[in-house]
Amino acid sequence: MATQTIEDRLRAEYFSLLPELVRVRERLEAEIRYHLLPITQELVRYERILISARVKGCISAIDRLRRDMEFRTFAEEVPEKYSLLDLHDLAGVRVSVFPQSRLDKVHDLLTAHFREWIPDPFPYEATGDFRAYKYHGHSEASKVVVAEFQVVPIVIGLFWEVEHDALYKPLPELKGIGDDLEMRDRSAQVLRALRAFEDEFEKLVTRGNAAGPKLSN
Amino acid sequence: MTTAVATKKAILDNAGYAYDFYHMLYFNRDARKAFSVEFVDDHDPEELEKRVQEPSDATGWQFYFNNPAVPESVRRKLESALA
């Protein structure tokens, strides 16, 4: 009989977990949308809150587990050591917010509800000078799956989506490119440019709103 | 790029190291050495330069990881991938 590789075992684990992952995603998204209603119902026209929910794909989940280890290679000596349940983002919700002044209110509302969830700060390389938050914990939909929610500035959230869909989705292994010293520097330049863009945009909107006709919701 | 990061980049470039994005390490086939991203991050340029310059072990690849306990199966897979 052919030997089952660690990847085979992880694939089987993924598909046995999938229905639970979908339940976690749906529950978390619904709760977050509900708790943000006091804000989403009062946004003025230039303000945006995008809520996106997802379940990590099978290949992406296995690759993430591999990349989290310094060797980036599963050790055959200890196959039982590896489980997708070690990941904190198998199911997750991202709340992308503009402007930054709204971001803190969104963060306060969600942390008031998800009190038990553990902060998991983004590394500086990921968000630069932007304020951005990430938490993980158990939703009521599952005692075993750890889920994640993020509150991030909209320019970062959309940049990550473009980066993910255009570059990494076809081949998740490409994610390692982002850790090259030169690439980190290029990413830092993008973050600085996005920050300057958002700051200027917000400044002009705020000034224009004060001087001209009030932008209504 | 900070001065320290730029210096590390120059050390690796000048010594002919390439980046393997799958294993996230810098490697040089002639020197038969490989440095993980974590090792490069956590050691200062002087230490990195010392490791890059030290003589290679003639018997096989030398891996520089923060976690020095490289399991045998991992070593075999890495050597095969980098060969």
Side-chain angles (χ1 to χ4, degrees), chain A residues 66 70 72 77 176 180 185, chain B residues 19 22 26 36 38 66 73:
Chain A
R66 182 185 67 81
E70 191 181 11
R72 272 97 203 180
E77 294 87 342
D180 173 54
D185 191 46
Chain B
Y19 182 61
Y22 184 81
Y26 293 88
S36 73
E38 287 86 348
N66 285 345
S73 69

Side-chain angles (χ1 to χ4, degrees), chain A:
Chain A
M1 200 171 92
T3 315
Q4 196 182 35
T5 65
I6 292 168
E7 285 86 347
D8 291 339
R9 214 171 50 72
L10 292 173
R11 272 190 286 274
E13 182 185 27
Y14 179 88
F15 287 103
S16 73
L17 285 172
L18 189 54
E20 199 155 344
L21 298 181
V22 172
R23 281 198 296 275
V24 169
R25 178 195 66 194
E26 288 178 354
R27 168 98 195 192
L28 187 58
E29 181 181 11
E31 281 188 51
I32 285 178
R33 285 190 186 279
Y34 173 74
H35 289 292
L36 291 183
L37 278 175
I39 295 181
T40 54
Q41 295 287 296
E42 64 165 25
L43 294 178
V44 294
R45 277 189 295 168
Y46 72 89
E47 295 180 321
R48 303 285 302 279
I49 291 181
L50 302 179
I51 298 169
S52 51
R54 62 118 181 80
V55 165
K56 213 173 188 63
C58 177
I59 296 172
S60 174
I62 295 172
D63 193 63
R64 174 62 196 265
L65 196 64
R66 182 185 67 81
R67 275 187 297 107
D68 279 352
M69 304 177 298
E70 191 181 11
F71 307 135
R72 272 97 203 180
T73 303
F74 295 117
E76 288 159 8
E77 294 87 342
V78 282
E80 69 287 351
K81 184 177 150 187
Y82 305 109
S83 168
L84 295 178
L85 290 173
D86 290 338
L87 297 176
H88 291 164
D89 61 345
L90 279 173
V93 172
R94 177 179 295 155
V95 184
S96 304
V97 185
F98 177 82
Q100 291 247 340
S101 51
R102 283 288 188 191
L103 189 127
D104 293 330
K105 290 175 194 160
V106 168
H107 175 247
D108 291 348
L109 266 184
L110 292 182
T111 49
H113 177 69
F114 296 97
R115 286 179 194 279
E116 308 295 320
W117 288 44
I118 300 162
D120 187 10
F122 286 105
Y124 183 78
E125 298 83 50
T127 57
D129 291 329
F130 280 106
R131 289 192 307 284
Y133 306 96
K134 185 167 58 154
Y135 291 81
H136 65 263
H138 290 285
S139 113
E140 286 184 30
S142 171
K143 286 188 166 49
V144 293
V145 171
V146 182
E148 175 184 282
F149 74 83
Q150 305 175 353
V151 181
V152 302
I154 206 162
V155 287
I156 289 223
L158 293 176
F159 172 62
W160 286 344
E161 273 183 35
V162 171
E163 200 183 18
H164 178 263
D165 289 352
L167 301 177
Y168 304 138
K169 205 167 186 178
L171 194 59
E173 294 95 317
L174 292 176
K175 272 213 146 186
I177 285 178
D179 280 280
D180 173 54
L181 296 172
E182 192 77 36
M183 273 303 285
R184 280 192 225 165
D185 191 46
R186 295 285 179 264
S187 297
Q189 290 171 4
V190 170
L191 292 174
R192 280 197 294 275
L194 289 174
R195 177 73 205 233
F197 172 86
E198 177 160 329
D199 286 350
E200 188 64 21
F201 192 92
E202 187 173 354
K203 190 174 80 185
L204 291 173
V205 168
T206 309
R207 277 190 195 158
N209 209 19
K214 185 94 178 147
L215 295 171
S216 61
N217 51 10

Side-chain angles (χ1 to χ4, degrees), chain B residues 10-65:
Chain B
I11 290 168
L12 293 166
D13 283 349
N14 294 340
Y17 281 78
Y19 182 61
D20 171 348
F21 62 81
Y22 184 81
H23 297 101
M24 293 167 62
L25 45 80
Y26 293 88
F27 70 100
N28 180 320
R29 286 203 176 92
D30 295 331
R32 291 161 76 84
K33 289 186 192 177
F35 295 85
S36 73
V37 162
E38 287 86 348
F39 186 95
V40 173
D41 278 343
D42 295 346
H43 291 78
D44 58 34
E46 292 73 23
E47 176 72 13
L48 181 63
E49 173 86 53
K50 198 172 125 193
R51 301 294 187 179
V52 165
Q53 297 303 334
E54 71 187 6
S56 300
D57 176 357
T59 58
W61 278 79
Q62 254 171 292
F63 295 104
Y64 295 85
F65 292 117

